[in-house]
Amino acid sequence: MNQSIRIVQGIHHLHFYLWDLPRWREHFCRVWGFRLESEAGNTLYLRQGSLRLRLSQPARAGDEVDRYLQQHSPGVVDVALAVGEQELPALAELLRGRGAQVEWIPAASALCLHTPYGIRHSLIPGLPNATPAEEGLFSHWDHVVLNVEQGSLQAAADWYGQVLGWRHLYRYSIHTDTSGLESVVVGDPEAGIQWAINEPTCAASQIQEFLDAHPGPGIQHAALHSPDIVASLRRLRQGGVAFLQVAPQYYTRLERELGLALRSVLGQAISWQDLVEQQILLDATLPASDGRYRPLLLQTFTQPLFGRPTFFFEVIQRVGGAAGFGEANFQALFEALERQQRQRQQALTP
């Protein structure tokens, strides 16, 4: 197989291991807009347009899902990747030649790529077909974030570059008076792949809190792109989804920085009232890539889904060809997560 051929065509699905499958089926369908596509044993297959979820609970004590959940928080165990229609044996040979651990899964007619970072990637030929006429809250997976242990960041980025051919896209460093993180983003934008990797800078970091609560490396969050973030958030809040609280001074500072340009910056994308009421972070500092609209990145984050400070969702909207990850929002986001972390710690203090 020609090594210049793109291996990954996009994200095929996210596979969760969790307890109480009926509860999460109801939650994802009623609140998040997914619908049941099929079920097999103790696994449900949900979809929303091109988005796919698989949800599995233990079938019996001691099976694979049960063993995982006895050791880890519920969450994403497999970010399945769509690959080209090439022969899978040739792909397996290529990946093994790049130092990867790969196995054939006959029941799924897929390859399983094991990573050194607590997750796996099923490699499945062909992308899921979208249904353009289907109305949904979300259009596609925007990006996925993996947390790794301190000192592992560069090795993880190099692993994805060596094995899957993903290139380095961005690097960020965030610090407060008490903690921080380092982040590298790799991927293939033409294939819709943006894969962020975080490591903690100290024991007090929220990334370390995730690693302790999970425990070990794993998927911290996945970002769902919405064509209308305000409508999506209203639906989610009505369904009982709890979101990260943004400090009021963030909007005071943002309004001061935008000044008289506030109305022209927001344009038809969103009203200032909706921005504040829905607790949305706004990055208006991005370079223009679409002459019709000013690029805006709008984003917000749920509280952790599974009780522990582990997996959560991000809801994001990109206007005017906005790229990047909301660099202007990183500090505000990190500080908001840090406040949430302190509240959890205080709740545990007798």
Side-chain angles (χ1 to χ4, degrees):
M1 180 182 293
N2 189 329
Q3 293 205 10
S4 67
I5 294 175
R6 173 181 290 129
I7 294 176
V8 177
Q9 308 296 316
I11 294 177
H12 192 280
H13 68 265
L14 270 56
H15 193 167
F16 289 82
Y17 282 0
L18 39 74
W19 305 107
D20 198 353
L21 195 58
R23 172 196 171 194
W24 289 106
R25 168 184 173 170
E26 192 272 342
H27 177 77
F28 280 113
C29 291
R30 178 180 60 83
V31 179
W32 289 88
F34 287 86
R35 67 176 181 82
L36 180 66
E37 187 172 41
S38 62
E39 55 186 303
N42 287 273
T43 295
L44 302 179
Y45 300 80
L46 309 181
R47 67 172 294 235
Q48 180 178 167
S50 64
L51 297 169
R52 299 291 192 278
L53 295 179
R54 292 187 184 178
L55 312 178
S56 295
Q57 71 175 12
R60 61 186 180 281
D63 69 6
E64 177 189 331
V65 181
D66 182 67
R67 292 196 306 273
Y68 179 91
L69 292 173
Q70 295 299 336
Q71 298 179 34
H72 301 285
S73 170
V76 176
V77 297
D78 185 352
V79 179
L81 302 172
V83 297
E85 299 292 345
Q86 68 266 8
E87 292 291 329
L88 291 181
L91 177 57
E93 182 180 357
L94 170 63
L95 295 175
R96 291 189 183 109
R98 295 180 177 182
Q101 180 186 352
V102 185
E103 66 174 316
W104 170 248
I105 309 297
S109 298
L111 295 175
C112 181
L113 173 62
H114 296 276
T115 79
Y117 305 105
I119 61 167
R120 64 180 185 264
H121 298 294
S122 293
L123 304 178
I124 302 173
L127 279 165
N129 294 323
T131 307
E134 179 183 340
E135 294 185 4
L137 295 180
F138 309 104
S139 58
H140 60 274
W141 298 112
D142 186 89
H143 61 272
V144 179
V145 179
L146 170 68
N147 285 353
V148 299
E149 295 168 340
Q150 190 171 12
S152 300
L153 178 62
Q154 193 57 54
D158 291 345
W159 187 90
Y160 278 97
Q162 175 183 330
V163 173
L164 294 177
W166 292 349
R167 65 181 187 270
H168 182 285
L169 301 176
Y170 311 100
R171 186 177 187 107
Y172 307 109
S173 180
I174 302 296
H175 297 278
T176 67
D177 292 339
T178 58
S179 69
L181 68 80
E182 298 287 335
S183 183
V184 170
V185 182
V186 297
D188 181 352
E190 293 181 11
I193 298 292
Q194 296 188 100
W195 187 262
I197 309 169
N198 295 334
E199 73 170 6
T201 59
C202 62
S205 171
Q206 62 199 238
I207 307 303
Q208 187 60 52
E209 183 186 35
F210 171 97
L211 296 169
D212 292 340
H214 182 54
I219 299 300
Q220 181 206 45
H221 76 269
L224 292 148
H225 185 274
S226 170
D228 185 342
I229 192 170
V230 173
S232 294
L233 294 180
R234 285 175 177 158
R235 161 80 178 269
L236 294 172
R237 290 183 189 278
Q238 288 171 359
V241 176
F243 287 86
L244 192 69
Q245 292 297 305
V246 180
Q249 54 265 34
Y250 169 82
Y251 295 103
T252 302
R253 183 173 65 249
L254 184 64
E255 189 172 21
R256 183 173 62 249
E257 291 172 352
L258 294 176
L260 296 176
L262 176 62
R263 181 170 296 179
S264 64
V265 167
L266 297 178
Q268 300 298 312
I270 189 173
S271 72
W272 178 256
Q273 181 179 356
D274 284 335
L275 193 77
V276 177
E277 286 183 354
Q278 296 300 328
Q279 297 280 281
I280 298 170
L281 299 175
L282 167 70
D283 188 346
T285 67
L286 302 165
S289 59
D290 183 333
R292 297 172 298 169
Y293 304 101
R294 177 161 180 168
L296 302 176
L297 188 107
L298 307 160
Q299 57 192 150
T300 191
F301 304 81
T302 72
Q303 299 280 359
L305 262 67
F306 301 112
R308 303 182 199 176
T310 53
F311 180 85
F312 56 90
F313 278 118
E314 174 179 351
V315 180
I316 186 169
Q317 182 179 4
R318 298 179 185 273
V319 177
F325 281 77
E327 295 90 314
N329 293 334
F330 262 33
Q331 194 71 28
L333 166 63
F334 193 84
E335 290 170 358
L337 290 169
E338 198 173 63
R339 284 193 299 275
Q340 186 183 80
Q341 182 183 16
R342 286 197 298 269
Q343 291 170 0
R344 284 193 293 267
Q345 293 168 345
Q346 291 168 359
L348 295 174
T349 303

